[in-house]
Amino acid sequence: MIISYNWLKEYLDIDVDPQELKDILTYAGIEVEAVDNIGKNLDQIKVGLIKDKIKHPNADKLSICHVDTGQETVQVICGAPNCATDQKIAFAGIGTKLQDMKIKKVKLRGVESFGMICSEKELGISENHDGILELPEDAPVGENLSSYLKLKDTCYDVEITPNRPDLLGMIGVARDLAAIRNKKIILPKIELSTSKDKIQNFLTLENFAPKKCTRYTARLIKNVTIKDSPIWLQKRLLAVGLHPINNVVDVTNFVMLEFGHPLHAFDLANIQDKKIVVRMAKENEKFPALDDETYSLTTEDLVIADAERPIALAGIIGGKNSLITKETKDIVIEAANFLYSNIRKTGNRLKISTDSSYRFERDIADDTADIVSRRAAQLILKTAGGELLEGKLDSYPAPQTPKKVKLRQSRIKKVLTIDLSQRQIAAYLEGLGLKLISQKDDEQIFQIPSFRKDLTREIDLIEEIIRLFGYNNVDTHLRSQKIMDRKRFYLRRKLKRIMVENGFSEIRNWSFGDPADLQKMEIQAEDERWKLAKLKNPLGDSFSVMRSTLIPDLLKNARFNFNHGQKDIKTFELNKAYTRDKEQKLATEKFHLSALLSGNSRPIYWKETNQKIDFYEVKGIVEEIISLFPLQDLKYLQSTENYFQQGQAATIQWQKKKIGELGKIDRKIAGKFDLEQDVFILDLDLEKLFSALKTEVHNFQPIPKYPPVLRDLSFIISKKYEFLKIKKEIASVNKTIKKIVLFDEYQGENIDLDKRSLSFSITFSSDTKTLTDEYINKIIKLIIDRLRSKFDIEMR
């Protein structure tokens, strides 16, 4: 269901902004699933004045209008039949974005046009495209249309639980908010004047299914004028996603959304013998519905009929044989209630779901039928004119006696652990429409309104009290115990699964290490890994410290495997590394993920050529791991570690922090660990990766409406320029460049030794238009010119 912020303000003095109201609704149990700010696209549309209108010299149906925009007078070509001199209109100037269209200067039959005079359909106000929107004479020229028509609104898409049908209308939501904010709800005043003619002289009612139709009311209005609804009514419907149809149908929809109780309007001229009959359908009886489908009914379906045929499927959809048209003069307003289970069965069998059936299926109140009938009559008289006949037809076979529920103050305290006086309790519940009947000592008795059928027990009232009091306002008596960080725990488990899926085997080594291993790896003296946490009583020199890196043990594991004939290995360890400054009492513990790869990339297979593990395969695994984290602007820089082979290793940097490294172990270092074949290592600092989760913000990115365009670009460039700088320069050329992928690097024949050939795949995309070849070619030229200027490239 959609709730409008502006519409709510008609029933309640809302003293909070739309964002705060969203939180209040959610805490009150009305879950907000989405928020939409409507009308903001009409800020560019101005109120204009047609100063003069002349016939187009080269077109019979076009006119040349000169429009005063409040800042200038512009020439506009218009083909609407209703445009006229001294008329106030909605004007869209050059550059205005209107739905999927951008207004440009055009020539129509040889005459220039500098904007557009808009119809209601073009503005998204209604489906009316017969002519331009005509504004009142007092509309101020130059003011933007959304401000003048007050079209700006904030709408909330909310999820209403099945037990709360009272919240399926604006007034129900306003009632809940009024109780929460301790305010008074402002209900519309319904005053009706009737003619001397009585409805019974023109229409009769028979209810042959009193158990399925618990109440049926009908009112009759004669001599109405069917036309478009006034702007205020259209605006309310559009805000909540309904398209205006005509003034009578729009009123029935408006009142349904206002009170949460559906209505329907019939054309009296199409009701045979002027008789309304509520009955069960006949077997295989045909019913032509408003959705242009003809349904075959059964004896389990409830219909509203006249003397001959069904004219509505009760509570679900109206009939095409009694709909309101422009020729309609006399209308019957139906406001009824039906057995919710019957509506649900019929709707499911016929696969029909409407705003009406959605509400009836949730067991709404009988009493509301008369209220919404009177409200609809009031608004139809206001928007369509006519005269309301005296009285109403009303079949109400079994009026319900209001329920009473006993509530104990002591029980509230025991269940909720909060102290509330009986006065506070009464204030909360009376705000929801309950009535205090009596109270004595610890006990209060409340009468439940008909629209709250979900309140039947004492615990139901207690639940309402805590909902209004606020769960977050209850004092906490227990401290939360943080035994472990679940998010990190499950993320570590996921990382292990990724490694296994890539063919790795997990290793678990001792957490004790040998300081000599750091010397073998030639780790520099100022490196943090030399801040060792030493053991007071070690088993020996080889176990005298807590490991500050996992890499040495992986190298030793590899030696053991090589010596036992296992030449193709992929192993990893996810464990803690320990460092300690002199002034620290306890060591700092950080999770690291380290892995070793050597030999063939895949098991030997007769159809495939054996491929050795290389730097790029290791980098691919690193990128798969890092994709789990919300890292932007990640950089791969040339590594300066002594234990890596130069040109075959990289340091991974994010926000100027080193988060990991990968590369090929230098042959000299490998020899110190008695390794005779090439070995690749990756090492990631998981603590720094986990820290990125704290800044994680999920933003929805809609699927682009317009197709992307892919272009390849190859050029020769000096080796001194880093890939990241080249990529950043390309990306800065134009905002339509969405993705840049390096798919080839070549060094060799016909390329100078100090240069290399790079090939990029560039993806272009726009959120507002389809990109043409001409447009893309211009951007490609700009990219080439920029790269020539910055990096002295040669095109291939």
Side-chain angles (χ1 to χ4, degrees), residues 356-372:
S356 177
S357 64
Y358 178 78
R359 286 163 172 80
F360 282 123
E361 286 172 2
R362 281 154 176 75
D363 195 15
I364 59 180
D366 293 337
D367 292 350
T368 321
D370 185 54
I371 299 171
V372 297

Side-chain angles (χ1 to χ4, degrees), residues 5-34:
Y5 179 82
N6 288 343
W7 198 345
L8 274 180
K9 289 199 295 185
E10 291 189 5
Y11 314 112
L12 185 68
D13 179 18
I14 300 177
D15 55 358
V16 295
D17 61 39
Q19 179 58 39
E20 191 175 347
L21 181 63
K22 171 197 166 189
D23 297 333
I24 293 171
L25 288 168
T26 300
Y27 284 129
I30 306 172
E31 183 183 355
V32 178
E33 295 185 331

Side-chain angles (χ1 to χ4, degrees), residues 89 180 259 301 331 337 363 393 405 421 461 584 600 604:
I89 47 88
I180 293 167
F259 283 90
D301 301 325
I331 64 168
N337 197 18
D363 195 15
L393 303 181
V405 176
S421 67
L461 302 191
Q584 280 184 276
N600 290 320
I604 295 174

Side-chain angles (χ1 to χ4, degrees), residues 557-574:
N557 298 144
R559 179 181 64 200
F560 179 86
N561 280 281
F562 294 160
N563 291 342
H564 286 77
Q566 184 64 43
K567 303 297 184 181
D568 303 329
I569 61 173
K570 288 182 178 181
T571 58
F572 80 94
E573 183 172 9
L574 196 160

